[in-house]
Amino acid sequence: ELKVEQNPLFLSMQEGKNYTIYCNYSTTSDRLYWYRQDPGKSLESLFVLLSNGAVKQEGRLMASLDTKARLSTLHITAAVHDLSATYFCAVSLSNSGYALNFGKGTSLLVTP
Amino acid sequence: NAGVTQTPKFRVLKTGQSMTLLCAQDMNHEYMYWYRQDPGMGLRLIHYSVGEGTTAKGEVPDGYNVSRLKKQNFLLGLESAAPSQTSVYFCASNGRMTASGNTIYFGEGSWLTVV
């Protein structure tokens, strides 16, 4: 059974600070996804990471993947209030129709 | 969210009633999924489909049935609703896998309360 663990589950940080969210998964996977969800809304795709060493950046967010360690990180640089949301990582397996297995999410609150 | 439409968006059911959630996508995607989201649990896969006429069980299939008679539609049914099925339900779709990676599109969600 594929397990996906995120930490921390809750994160309160000040504007301007940096922080990293970690995502560990238990078995080899085709690809790793990061999503953002605002309260009462659907999921917004942030990144898809395909290979070992992959790094993608969008604005203040940067995601990386280490397939050997089965670890992905989402790094937040100089946080701003607009980044407050819940962030999910998910991995897919080809033997289940590429369905996503999600972590429990990291609820991020950025305060002044 | 472009291309994936869920109906209804909100519904209140009495215990024992039945209902069907409809998911429609207009991107000609092969793969479709139903998830439920509960507080602190992330999203959990209920059922999925890898093409028209096919369905398979996910992590939490009990109490649900699905059908994919047409490629663009994936229906989720609750035959006899229970309070434990109070949740937010998300449908998603995914096209053929490519080397550059796929974006999986989610619907806007359906809020279901069973009383």
Side-chain angles (χ1 to χ4, degrees):
Chain A
E1 179 187 345
L2 174 61
K3 292 184 179 179
V4 181
E5 294 184 349
Q6 285 182 240
N7 68 85
L9 297 182
F10 300 96
L11 177 57
S12 179
M13 56 190 298
Q14 286 185 315
E15 284 188 328
K17 299 293 187 182
N18 304 331
Y19 208 83
T20 300
I21 299 170
Y22 297 88
C23 175
N24 290 91
Y25 54 98
S26 61
T27 191
T28 303
S29 174
D30 299 284
R31 52 202 68 201
L32 187 133
Y33 298 75
W34 284 97
Y35 284 87
R36 168 183 172 144
Q37 186 180 38
D38 293 297
K41 302 294 185 181
S42 186
L43 283 79
E44 174 190 354
S45 178
L46 296 175
F47 303 107
V48 182
L49 303 171
L50 301 178
S51 59
N52 189 43
V55 177
K56 290 192 175 180
Q57 183 164 5
E58 181 73 32
R60 300 175 188 275
L61 300 178
M62 182 174 71
S64 66
L65 179 62
D66 181 343
T67 58
K68 294 180 181 178
R70 296 176 185 165
L71 170 68
S72 180
T73 61
L74 181 66
H75 187 72
I76 303 159
T77 302
V80 293
H81 179 70
D82 285 352
L83 289 179
S84 296
T86 299
Y87 293 85
F88 291 96
C89 67
V91 298
S92 70
L93 293 176
S94 59
N95 63 0
S96 61
Y98 300 99
L100 295 181
N101 291 265
F102 284 85
K104 293 185 177 181
T106 297
S107 181
L108 171 66
L109 177 63
V110 181
T111 58
Chain B
N1 291 286
V4 180
T5 303
Q6 293 180 228
T7 53
K9 297 225 176 356
F10 301 95
R11 183 74 185 269
V12 178
L13 280 179
K14 293 183 179 179
T15 298
Q17 285 186 321
S18 63
M19 76 160 295
T20 300
L21 295 173
L22 170 63
C23 177
Q25 52 95 2
D26 60 4
M27 296 172 283
N28 200 34
H29 282 172
E30 296 292 331
Y31 307 99
M32 296 187 74
Y33 317 94
W34 275 107
Y35 291 89
R36 61 178 288 173
Q37 184 177 27
D38 303 293
M41 298 294 292
L43 279 80
R44 293 180 293 169
L45 182 67
I46 305 172
H47 286 279
Y48 65 96
S49 169
V50 299
E52 181 178 313
T54 75
T55 63
K57 294 180 180 180
E59 179 185 359
V60 288
D62 294 343
Y64 305 95
N65 56 74
V66 288
S67 65
R68 188 140 179 232
L69 299 179
K70 294 183 179 180
K71 186 176 185 179
Q72 63 267 34
N73 296 336
F74 195 28
L75 279 64
L76 178 70
L78 287 72
E79 290 187 345
S80 180
S84 60
Q85 294 178 304
T86 294
S87 189
V88 183
Y89 292 85
F90 286 98
C91 175
S93 74
N94 187 11
R96 291 189 182 279
M97 306 311 282
T98 67
S100 60
N102 283 50
T103 296
I104 297 176
Y105 295 90
F106 283 81
E108 294 187 349
S110 296
W111 275 254
L112 176 63
T113 301
V114 183
V115 297

